């Protein structure tokens, strides 16, 4: 059902955001631990990147309907 | 009703308009009154002419019977006039003759009235011809128009009369014949006696004169002579009286004969003829005898004269007397009887002597008594003449009578012959007539038969045609009845078929309706959020129940596939779903293809949180631009949904754009599906109802 799509998308977004944030955080932490001498900036960077990626994905996902994809264009 | 009124009006108008003009034309006839009064003279002249004509006719009819007959025949009621004026016509014997002929023709069955049949007419004509042929006998021709019984009676009567008359006539004739015969015989006898007496007397006289006898013998002779004379006179008287009587009786016989002749009956004729012949014979005999007597008398006279002469001359011529006597005797003999040879010789001798004597006498008498001789001659001549005349008369009469009798006899014979001939001819005619009648009857029979057959055939034809007509009529009627029955049967069959068809249709319609109702019912078989059972079977049922109905088929096949396979959502579920959908739709109100970032999402969320619109708002009849706001639309849609107008709600929801639209797309599809299905079903149901109404008979 179409009304559930949004919910699903939001769920996906949230899940994706959470994952990305977590992964970013995790990577950030990792990187910060590993590479960047426990600076916080890679954690924030990573979480922010993660979040940003999630946001972008979510937005893309939400927007995807309105965008003409290549395949559609070719069709 | 209007037409009935019009008709009534027309009829009344016609009745009123029918006028019978009772125009009675009074003809005033002016009868020209009478004739102008003619002059009395003209009238008198006319009357005179008419009366003279009638009188002349009557007189002529009295004189000429044929004319009378003709007039009586041609002019009606003239016979009355004639009978008044002249007495009845005496010509009634024709009927007797006719009846005789009729009786002679035994084969003629009847004498019908003239105009009954052709045969009768022919017979009448024939009878008429018969009368015509009888005209030569001076009989009046009366057409026989009497009926059979009358004629037969009349015939019998007439026969009877004839018989009676015949009997009476014959009796009278016989009587008179007998009496006349008797008297005639008597007369003849008397005459003969007289003759004898005369002859004797003359003989005696001669003897007395001639014989030279002695005186006493002479006186005896003279006495004898006187006796003989007396005898003679007596005998002559007797003879004359007998003659008179005989004549009388003969006269009476003649009268009787004439009377019976006057009766004019055929059967009497032979009797009459015989009587006449007898009469004639008797008369002849009588006359002969009378002539004989007369001749004897004359001779006697002569002789007496002679004797006187002789007596006168006796003294003188005694010798001659004596010589004469045997001669006179011879003469007498020659006069009275047959001549024998002796008589002939004596006669010749006497002739010689006479010649001598005469010569002598001549010589003598010439001288002396020339005058006497002359006178005697004269006397003789006279007497001879008289005698001759008488003899001639009597012979003439006799001859006449004989001729007449002969004629009568011949006539009678001829009549008989003719009658026989006529009878044969009549028989022949009768035979011919019967043949003719037979032929005519045959012909008539043929004709009548032909006519009857024709009539019969025509009647038969008529009957046949009538029969055929009746038959035909019957057939036609029967055919008509049969046709009507057949038509009715056909009509009934058609009605039944149509009923059956209608019932079939009704059943089908009912079935359709039932199936549609089932379909309709299936639409209602929804739980709150679950769709209905798939409408496939119901749709199948509907399709089955209307497989010959294109419209229903089209409708049935117009059901959306989803509804068939999956079923449709009920309005309630849709309503509930919408209600749940509304908030989401509100939340993404700002999102469309141009505004679809996450920020916009956030903003739309914010808007949704902060904007308060009516839960339900009645949609206006016409949407304006402002009404295209999602929130308003949603409230309109809610209102509509709440009021059961899914269609309007769908329409309103259809106006949503952007993400809102994407969000409510499914709902809209579902709503569309439901609406579609419902529409189809409602159409089907309406159709089924219509069909059912159409096929259902109103009570």
């Amino acid at each position: 059902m179409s009304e559930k799509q949004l919910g699903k998308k939001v769920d996906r977004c949230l899940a994706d955001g959470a994952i990305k944030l977590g992964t970013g955080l995790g990577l950030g932490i990792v990187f910060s631990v590993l590479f960047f001498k426990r600076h916080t900036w890679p954690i924030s960077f990573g979480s922010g990147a993660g979040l940003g990626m999630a946001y972008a994905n979510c937005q893309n996902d939400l927007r995807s309907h309105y965008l003409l994809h290549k395949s559609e264009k070719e069709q | 009703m209007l037409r009935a009124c019009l008709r009534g009006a027309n009829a009344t108008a016609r009745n009123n308009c029918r006028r019978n003009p009772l125009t009675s034309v009074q003809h005033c006839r002016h009868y020209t009154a009478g004739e102008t009064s003619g002059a009395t003279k003209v009238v008198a002249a006319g009357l005179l002419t008419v009366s003279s004509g009638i009188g002349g006719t009557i007189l002529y009819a009295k004189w000429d019977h044929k004319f009378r007959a003709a007039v009586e025949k041609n002019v009606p009621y003239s016979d009355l006039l004639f009978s008044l004026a002249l007495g009845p016509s005496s010509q009634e014997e024709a009927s007797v003759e006719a009846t005789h002929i009729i009786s002679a023709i035994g084969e003629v069955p009847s004498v019908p009235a003239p105009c009954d049949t052709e045969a009768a007419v022919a017979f009448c004509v024939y009878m008429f011809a018969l009368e015509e042929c009888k005209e030569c006998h001076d009989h009046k021709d009366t057409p026989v128009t009497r009926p059979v019984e009358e004629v037969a009676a009349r015939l019998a009567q007439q026969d009877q009369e004839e018989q009676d008359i015949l009997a009476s006539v014959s009796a009278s004739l016989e009587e008179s014949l007998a009496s006349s015969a008797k008297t005639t015989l008597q007369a003849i006898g008397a005459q003969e006696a007289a003759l004898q007496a005369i002859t004797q007397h003359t003989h005696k006289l001669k003897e007395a004169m001639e014989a030279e006898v002695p005186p006493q013998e002479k006186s005896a002779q003279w006495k004898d002579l006187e006796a003989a004379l007396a005898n003679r006179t007596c005998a002559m008287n007797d003879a004359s009286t007998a003659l008179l009587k005989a004549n009388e009786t003969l006269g009476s016989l003649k009268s009787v004969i004439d009377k019976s002749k006057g009766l004019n009956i055929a059967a009497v004729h032979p009797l009459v003829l015989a009587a006449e012949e007898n009469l004639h014979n008797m008369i002849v005999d009588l006359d002969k005898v009378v002539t004989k007597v007369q001749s004897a008398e004359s001779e006697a006279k002569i002789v007496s004269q002679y004797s006187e002469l002789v007596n006168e001359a006796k003294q003188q011529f005694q010798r001659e007397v004596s010589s004469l006597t045997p001669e006179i005797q011879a003469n007498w003999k020659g006069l009275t009887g047959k001549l024998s040879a002796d008589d002939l010789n004596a006669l010749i001798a006497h002739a010689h002597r006479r010649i001598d004597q005469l010569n002598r006498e001549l010589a003598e008498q010439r001288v002396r008594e020339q005058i006497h001789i002359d006178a005697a001659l004269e006397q003789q001549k006279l007497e001879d003449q008289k005698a001759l005349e008488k003899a001639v008369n009597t012979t003439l009469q006799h001859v006449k009578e004989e001729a007449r009798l002969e004629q009568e006899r011949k006539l009678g014979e001829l009549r008989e012959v003719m009658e026989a001939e006529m009878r044969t001819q009549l028989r022949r005619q009768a035979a011919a007539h019967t043949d003719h009648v037979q032929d005519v009857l045959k012909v008539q029979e043929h004709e009548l038969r032909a006519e009857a057959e024709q009539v019969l055939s025509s009647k038969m034809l008529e009957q046949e045609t009538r029969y055929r007509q009746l038959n035909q009529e019957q057939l036609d009627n029967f055919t008509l009845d049969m046709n009507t029955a057949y038509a009715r049967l056909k009509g009934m069959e058609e009605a039944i078929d149509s009923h059956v068809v209608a019932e079939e249709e009704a059943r089908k319609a009912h079935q359709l309706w039932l199936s549609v109702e089932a379909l309709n019912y299936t639409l209602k078989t929804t739980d709150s959020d679950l769709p209905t059972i798939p409408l496939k079977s119901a749709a199948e049922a509907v399709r089955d129940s209307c497989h010959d109905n294109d419209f229903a088929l089209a409708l049935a096949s117009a059901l959306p596939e989803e509804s068939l396979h999956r079923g449709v959502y009920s309005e309630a579920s849709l309503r509930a779903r919408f209600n749940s959908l509304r908030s989401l739709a509100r939340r993404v109100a700002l999102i469309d293809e141009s505004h679809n970032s996450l920020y916009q999402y956030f903003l739309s969320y914010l808007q949704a949180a902060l904007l308060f619109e009516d839960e339900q708002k009645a949609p206006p009849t016409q949407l304006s631009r402002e009404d295209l706001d999602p929130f308003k639309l949603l409230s309109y849609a809610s209102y509509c949904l709440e009021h059961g107008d899914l269609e309007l709600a769908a329409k309103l929801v259809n106006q949503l754009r952007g993400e809102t639209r994407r969000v409510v797309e499914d709902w809209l599809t579902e709503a569309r599906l439901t609406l579609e299905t419902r529409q189809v079903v409602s159409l089907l149901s309406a159709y089924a109802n219509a069909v059912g109404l159409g096929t259902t008979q109103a009570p």
Side-chain angles (χ1 to χ4, degrees):
Chain A
M1 301 227 239
S2 61
E3 63 264 24
K4 293 201 169 80
Q5 290 285 330
L6 188 64
K8 280 182 196 157
K9 278 182 185 171
V10 168
D11 284 345
R12 271 208 301 275
C13 271
L14 284 176
D16 190 47
I19 291 166
K20 291 231 169 15
L21 189 66
T23 312
L25 195 66
L27 278 179
I29 291 171
V30 162
F31 271 91
S32 95
V33 164
L34 287 178
F35 304 112
F36 298 104
K37 305 162 197 148
R38 291 215 192 161
H39 290 268
T40 46
W41 65 269
I43 301 166
S44 51
F45 181 72
S47 61
L51 201 69
M53 273 196 289
Y55 183 86
N57 273 352
C58 186
Q59 194 171 280
N60 229 7
D61 195 17
L62 285 170
R63 207 184 255 191
S64 66
H65 177 73
Y66 295 104
L67 292 171
L68 275 161
H69 295 277
K70 222 174 173 186
S71 58
E72 289 169 20
K73 240 202 300 194
E74 282 169 16
Q75 281 175 3
Chain B
M1 207 163 87
L2 186 63
R3 265 185 283 168
C5 286
L6 275 168
R7 254 187 264 126
N10 278 338
T12 45
R14 244 185 279 124
N15 281 336
N16 288 335
C17 289
R18 199 179 298 148
R19 289 185 196 116
N20 302 321
L22 300 166
T23 53
S24 58
V25 180
Q26 307 279 341
H27 294 289
C28 302
R29 278 205 187 160
H30 300 283
Y31 295 98
T32 52
E35 315 131 26
T36 56
S37 56
T40 47
K41 284 185 188 167
V42 173
V43 171
L47 280 172
L48 192 67
T49 318
V50 166
S51 57
S52 64
I54 292 172
T57 314
I58 291 171
L59 282 171
Y60 190 61
K62 191 171 177 182
W63 185 63
D64 187 4
H65 290 285
K66 278 195 201 172
F67 174 73
R68 178 177 175 167
V71 169
E72 277 185 13
K73 194 172 65 151
N74 289 323
V75 180
Y77 300 113
S78 60
D79 53 349
L80 286 172
L81 186 67
F82 281 134
S83 59
L84 272 173
L86 305 170
S89 160
S90 61
Q91 314 276 352
E92 289 275 319
E93 307 93 45
S95 60
V96 174
E97 295 294 330
T99 50
H100 272 289
I101 301 297
I102 287 165
S103 62
I105 307 162
E107 292 178 32
V108 175
S110 73
V111 184
C115 300
D116 271 352
T117 59
E118 283 185 26
V121 169
F123 181 68
C124 285
V125 168
Y126 155 75
M127 283 303 301
F128 200 76
L130 201 64
E131 313 304 343
E132 296 264 334
C133 128
K134 295 295 282 178
E135 265 197 350
C136 60
H137 296 279
D138 268 345
H139 294 300
K140 189 175 110 176
D141 48 339
T142 51
V144 182
T145 57
R146 284 164 274 206
V148 131
E149 303 86 12
E150 213 182 300
V151 165
R154 231 187 130 78
L155 278 174
Q157 200 189 3
Q158 278 172 350
D159 283 340
Q160 199 58 40
E161 281 174 16
E162 269 181 36
Q163 292 293 332
D164 294 338
I165 288 168
L166 193 70
S168 67
V169 158
S170 62
S172 65
L173 274 174
E174 277 176 27
E175 208 184 288
S176 47
L177 262 174
S179 66
S180 58
K182 205 167 71 179
T183 49
T184 315
L185 283 169
Q186 272 181 5
I188 289 171
Q191 295 283 344
E192 292 268 335
L195 188 70
Q196 285 291 325
I198 289 166
T199 49
Q200 215 172 10
H201 169 70
T202 44
H203 181 73
K204 286 262 165 56
L205 195 61
K206 274 191 206 163
E207 273 187 12
M209 282 198 291
E210 289 174 5
E212 292 285 337
V213 292
Q216 57 266 42
E217 280 188 20
K218 199 87 175 166
S219 65
Q221 247 186 4
W222 282 113
K223 271 191 206 154
D224 283 338
L225 198 65
E226 278 171 19
L229 183 65
N231 215 9
R232 174 187 156 173
T233 45
C234 180
M236 282 203 62
N237 288 334
D238 285 339
S240 62
T241 49
L243 185 68
L244 276 170
K245 248 200 323 190
N247 276 338
E248 262 180 42
T249 48
L250 283 171
S252 71
L253 175 66
K254 200 171 173 70
S255 68
V256 164
I257 285 168
D258 284 336
K259 205 175 66 182
S260 51
K261 247 205 277 189
L263 288 173
N264 211 5
I265 301 171
V268 170
H269 269 169
L271 291 171
V272 163
L273 211 60
E276 271 188 359
E277 278 191 354
N278 283 334
L279 174 73
H280 175 66
N281 289 336
M282 284 191 281
I283 288 171
V284 163
D285 290 338
L286 209 61
D287 285 342
K288 268 198 229 162
V289 163
V290 163
T291 28
K292 275 194 222 162
V293 165
Q294 278 179 352
S295 61
E297 264 190 16
S298 66
E299 280 297 323
K301 222 194 309 184
I302 291 169
V303 168
S304 68
Q305 281 184 353
Y306 223 48
S307 75
E308 279 174 21
L309 283 168
V310 162
N311 280 330
E312 276 185 27
K314 199 172 176 155
Q315 287 85 17
Q316 294 176 14
F317 307 103
Q318 205 157 3
R319 202 164 49 103
E320 285 187 359
V321 169
S322 64
S323 77
L324 274 170
T325 336
E327 288 160 2
I328 290 170
Q329 274 182 345
N331 262 341
W332 275 107
K333 278 202 188 142
L335 281 172
T336 53
K338 308 182 199 97
L339 298 164
S340 61
D342 291 342
D343 294 325
L344 270 166
N345 291 331
L347 193 67
I348 292 166
H350 164 70
H352 282 299
R353 266 184 254 132
R354 192 85 178 148
I355 290 164
D356 293 334
Q357 189 213 340
L358 278 170
N359 285 330
R360 268 183 268 131
E361 266 195 353
L362 190 70
E364 283 181 15
Q365 293 291 336
R366 223 183 247 172
V367 180
R368 286 187 193 174
E369 297 180 353
Q370 181 81 17
I371 301 163
H372 283 234
I373 285 167
D374 284 339
L377 277 172
E378 282 291 329
Q379 210 180 4
Q380 188 70 19
K381 225 192 277 179
L382 280 168
E383 293 211 352
D384 279 343
Q385 193 116 358
K386 266 196 257 172
L388 186 73
E389 273 180 22
K390 232 165 98 177
V392 162
N393 282 339
T394 47
T395 41
L396 198 69
Q397 266 184 17
H398 285 163
V399 164
K400 267 191 201 165
E401 194 69 24
E402 262 182 37
R404 194 184 64 80
L405 284 172
E406 190 75 28
Q407 189 193 25
E408 294 266 331
R409 206 172 32 245
K410 283 229 163 67
L411 213 65
E413 279 172 21
L414 200 69
R415 196 178 286 140
E416 272 177 28
V417 163
M418 277 178 74
E419 274 205 23
E421 216 179 284
M422 174 150 290
R423 282 216 184 83
T424 50
Q425 292 293 336
L426 285 171
R427 279 205 201 91
R428 259 190 228 150
Q429 271 202 12
H433 173 68
T434 48
D435 284 343
H436 171 68
V437 162
Q438 266 179 13
D439 289 340
V440 164
L441 280 173
K442 260 188 213 144
V443 164
Q444 251 197 335
E445 190 191 324
H446 278 150
E447 276 179 16
L448 284 171
R449 187 165 287 161
E451 206 182 295
E453 270 181 13
Q454 198 188 20
V455 165
L456 178 74
S457 67
S458 73
K459 281 264 156 68
M460 283 287 293
L461 207 70
E462 213 182 283
Q463 286 288 350
E464 259 189 51
T465 48
R466 252 183 63 195
Y467 174 70
R468 277 211 197 92
Q469 249 182 21
L470 283 170
N471 248 7
Q472 201 61 38
E473 261 182 51
Q474 259 190 1
L475 266 171
D476 288 342
N477 283 345
F478 182 67
T479 317
L480 206 70
D481 291 340
M482 284 298 290
N483 280 346
T484 45
Y486 186 69
R488 278 179 67 194
L489 183 70
K490 271 271 171 261
M492 280 200 297
E493 272 183 8
E494 271 188 31
I496 289 165
D497 286 342
S498 67
H499 267 251
V500 161
V501 163
E503 270 186 28
E504 185 71 29
E505 288 292 313
R507 195 181 60 78
K508 274 193 200 153
H510 194 63
Q511 220 172 6
L512 180 68
W513 184 82
L514 280 172
S515 56
V516 163
E517 280 299 304
L519 187 64
N520 219 358
Y521 186 70
T522 52
L523 276 179
K524 297 195 184 100
T525 57
T526 57
D527 292 333
S528 55
D529 280 322
L530 293 169
T532 59
I533 54 172
L535 304 176
K536 190 177 175 127
S537 58
E540 280 290 323
V542 168
R543 232 195 305 272
D544 287 337
S545 65
C546 67
H547 56 84
D548 55 348
N549 200 339
D550 293 336
F551 181 65
L553 261 174
L555 280 178
S557 47
L559 279 169
E561 283 293 317
E562 283 293 319
S563 68
L564 291 173
H565 297 298
R566 197 207 56 187
V568 294
Y569 283 97
S570 68
E571 197 175 322
S573 64
L574 281 173
R575 186 162 61 237
R577 191 166 155 188
F578 185 77
N579 286 334
S580 63
L581 200 66
R582 186 178 176 183
S583 54
L584 183 58
R586 282 179 77 241
R587 268 184 250 141
V588 293
L590 282 175
I591 310 298
D592 59 13
E593 56 268 5
S594 60
H595 310 97
N596 53 10
S597 66
L598 217 58
Y599 180 56
Q600 297 289 338
Y601 273 93
F602 172 69
L603 283 178
S604 75
Y605 270 125
L606 199 59
Q607 185 187 35
L610 294 176
L611 201 74
F612 295 99
E613 75 279 6
D614 291 330
E615 188 73 31
Q616 291 159 15
K617 197 169 165 196
T621 48
Q622 270 189 336
L623 285 173
S624 60
R625 198 164 241 241
E626 298 84 27
D627 294 322
L628 291 178
D629 180 45
F631 295 99
K632 277 194 183 151
L633 283 171
L634 285 168
S635 63
Y636 290 153
S638 279
Y639 180 84
C640 294
L641 274 172
E642 283 307 308
H643 285 85
D645 195 350
L646 184 58
E647 193 185 338
L648 191 56
K651 280 183 197 165
L652 287 163
V653 162
N654 197 28
Q655 301 305 316
L656 289 168
R657 296 276 174 269
E659 190 65 31
T660 328
R661 179 56 183 271
R662 273 188 66 211
V663 160
V664 298
E665 192 72 40
D666 271 352
W667 183 93
L668 196 58
T669 320
E670 287 300 319
R672 270 212 197 97
L673 210 64
T674 306
L675 279 168
E676 232 180 282
T677 313
R678 270 220 316 223
Q679 193 185 38
V680 168
V681 166
S682 72
L683 274 171
L684 271 172
S685 141
Y687 176 70
N689 279 334
V691 167
L693 273 175
T695 54
T696 318
Q697 300 280 337

